Amino acid sequence: MHRADHRPSRRAFLDVTGAMMAAGLTAGCTADANGPGRHGASARTTETRVPALGPHQAGVTLPQPAQGNLLIVVADIGTTVPVEPLLAELGASIRTLTAGTDPRLLGLSPGDLTVTVGVGPRLVRAAGASLPGATDLPRFSRERIAPGARGGDLLLQICASDPLVVPVAAAALLDRAGDRVRERWRQSGRRGTNVPVGTDLAAPRNLLGFIDGIVGPHTAAEQRRDLWLTGPPAVTGGTLAVVRRMELDLPRFAALSVAEQEAVFGRRRSSGVPLSGGTAASGPDLGAKTPDGRYLVPANAHVRRAHANVVGAGLMLRRSYSVDEPAPGLLFISFQNDLRTFTATLTHMDAADALLDFTTTTAGGTFLILPGFDRQRPLGAGLFGDGGDVVP
């Protein structure tokens, strides 16, 4: 949904939250992405809290698996607004919201609510042209992105198991920001049922019926290598996010046979196992061939075209959420410590990936996910000066 003309206000906060509370009268029959109906899910998650404070922001690797409901809000920050105080205020609101002490939750339990904040390339360049996150996301083929749905200064990623908590928390954060920010676009999404794919690893199905997000930097060593930023203290512990909303041609994909669908992905639809064999968590054997010399994983299969070793790039921590408006599709989010990990991968996919034939990207941007924060070090501390710099 494109909302370039929306300005958050206290009136908007009251309107949105009032509507959500009214919607709650009928939400009891909503199925949770990871379990039973919402009443059962609420009982299970009410006491589960995800710490907001620490070396990394919540919502990237914690919790595991990720919550079932997400809302992305992308906004611009006014050109005369001091950025660091705004970020510090948002961090303070995140603390009270996730602790359940903010009255703007309207009595809802935050459960496993997480809020993850990122800043766009324009702001990062103003802080330092050589900093990670200062580079805009390039344009690719198969895009149909309106100007208001490309880029942005501020990213709010809000996730929770309780679907009511997500928009209420978003309204509270935008109310705190007030007229200092101008919303560009937002997108809500849901994760499908989680499927075990390895030891302590589960991944959801996407709208195409396939298990999504199996490969990634899952171990601590892989995350140090490919996920978390190091270097200047103002970015250490952060990461880089790429956000892209894609429409999917579901009727055309559904018209394929199961074998043809599996050839597009390079995995079995039912289990996620590579067409070359093994287990879902084991990597595909890209050299494996049939007796007559054909690759078991086709040359244009998604798992081959996006494979880190084939691309020559690091691993991405990938999250995909199914969306049904403005059109059926996916909200794709990847986290990595080098933007080239994403750009080189998509460039390699662009040339021959069979999956891209069913996608059209309609929104996107890249953001520096700020390092974690605590009571002594506010969110965004040190990046934009000593508390009062204005970004032109």
Side-chain angles (χ1 to χ4, degrees):
M1 181 184 302
H2 177 51
R3 300 194 176 190
D5 59 348
H6 175 70
R7 288 183 179 274
S9 66
R10 187 168 301 276
R11 172 67 176 266
F13 164 73
L14 294 173
D15 289 346
V16 170
T17 50
M20 286 308 302
M21 292 304 289
L25 296 175
T26 59
C29 296
T30 301
D32 181 83
N34 299 310
R38 203 194 71 77
H39 286 305
S42 178
R44 185 179 66 252
T45 61
T46 294
E47 300 305 320
T48 302
R49 301 289 171 86
V50 181
L53 308 182
H56 312 295
Q57 287 194 71
V60 180
T61 58
L62 292 176
Q64 185 60 244
Q67 310 96 313
N69 302 285
L70 164 141
L71 174 62
I72 286 288
V73 178
V74 177
D76 287 333
I77 296 177
T79 57
T80 61
V81 172
V83 177
E84 193 153 320
L86 171 61
L87 294 174
E89 289 180 35
L90 290 175
S93 287
I94 291 169
R95 290 201 308 270
T96 60
L97 287 166
T98 56
T101 60
D102 195 317
R104 291 171 297 186
L105 278 173
L106 300 175
L108 295 175
S109 168
D112 55 5
L113 170 69
T114 59
V115 180
T116 313
V117 180
V119 292
R122 183 184 74 87
L123 299 187
V124 178
R125 284 194 294 270
S130 63
L131 287 172
T135 303
D136 289 293
L137 194 65
R139 302 190 180 207
F140 295 94
S141 66
R142 301 178 178 88
E143 291 184 344
R144 191 178 68 244
I145 303 177
R150 188 186 297 275
D153 291 337
L154 180 69
L155 171 72
L156 299 176
Q157 174 192 278
I158 305 158
C159 303
S161 291
D162 186 339
L164 290 182
V165 169
V166 175
V168 172
L173 291 164
L174 292 173
D175 179 60
R176 183 69 178 260
D179 60 6
R180 292 175 292 180
V181 305
R182 181 183 180 91
E183 188 173 325
R184 276 177 169 256
W185 63 280
R186 64 168 59 197
Q187 182 66 56
S188 55
R190 302 178 303 276
R191 283 166 68 85
T193 302
N194 284 311
V195 179
V197 293
T199 303
D200 298 325
L201 180 63
R205 293 192 182 276
N206 59 31
L207 276 183
L208 297 176
F210 282 76
I211 302 172
D212 208 345
I214 297 173
V215 178
H218 300 306
T219 69
E222 290 171 338
Q223 290 170 7
R224 285 193 298 270
R225 183 190 67 200
D226 292 327
L227 179 60
W228 302 121
L229 291 167
T230 59
V235 302
T236 296
T239 186
L240 301 177
V242 171
V243 180
R244 281 163 67 87
R245 183 181 64 201
M246 292 174 281
E247 293 182 3
L248 296 177
D249 192 340
L250 293 179
R252 192 160 65 88
F253 189 81
L256 301 177
S257 69
V258 173
E260 290 171 326
Q261 293 174 7
E262 292 177 339
V264 169
F265 276 89
R267 292 183 180 271
R268 299 297 178 195
R269 191 177 70 179
S270 61
S271 63
V273 170
L275 296 183
S276 55
T279 66
S282 64
D285 180 354
L286 299 180
K289 295 183 178 181
T290 63
D292 61 356
R294 291 180 294 108
Y295 282 116
L296 290 174
V297 177
N300 64 346
H302 178 60
V303 296
R304 181 185 293 274
R305 299 302 301 180
H307 196 283
N309 290 346
V310 174
V311 175
L315 296 172
M316 293 180 278
L317 182 62
R318 295 173 295 125
R319 297 267 176 78
S320 293
Y321 295 81
S322 298
V323 307
D324 54 16
E325 58 84 21
L330 290 176
L331 183 69
F332 170 88
I333 305 170
S334 70
F335 300 100
Q336 54 274 302
N337 59 14
D338 187 343
L339 187 60
R340 181 188 173 275
T341 299
F342 174 83
T343 57
T345 301
L346 188 52
T347 298
H348 195 257
M349 291 168 56
D350 240 355
D353 193 315
L355 179 58
L356 294 188
D357 290 341
F358 300 90
T359 70
T360 301
T361 299
T362 60
T366 181
F367 302 88
L368 167 62
I369 300 299
L370 299 166
F373 60 102
D374 54 36
R375 297 184 185 278
Q376 288 71 46
R377 180 180 173 81
L379 179 67
L383 187 60
F384 298 104
D386 190 16
D389 283 6
V390 172
V391 175

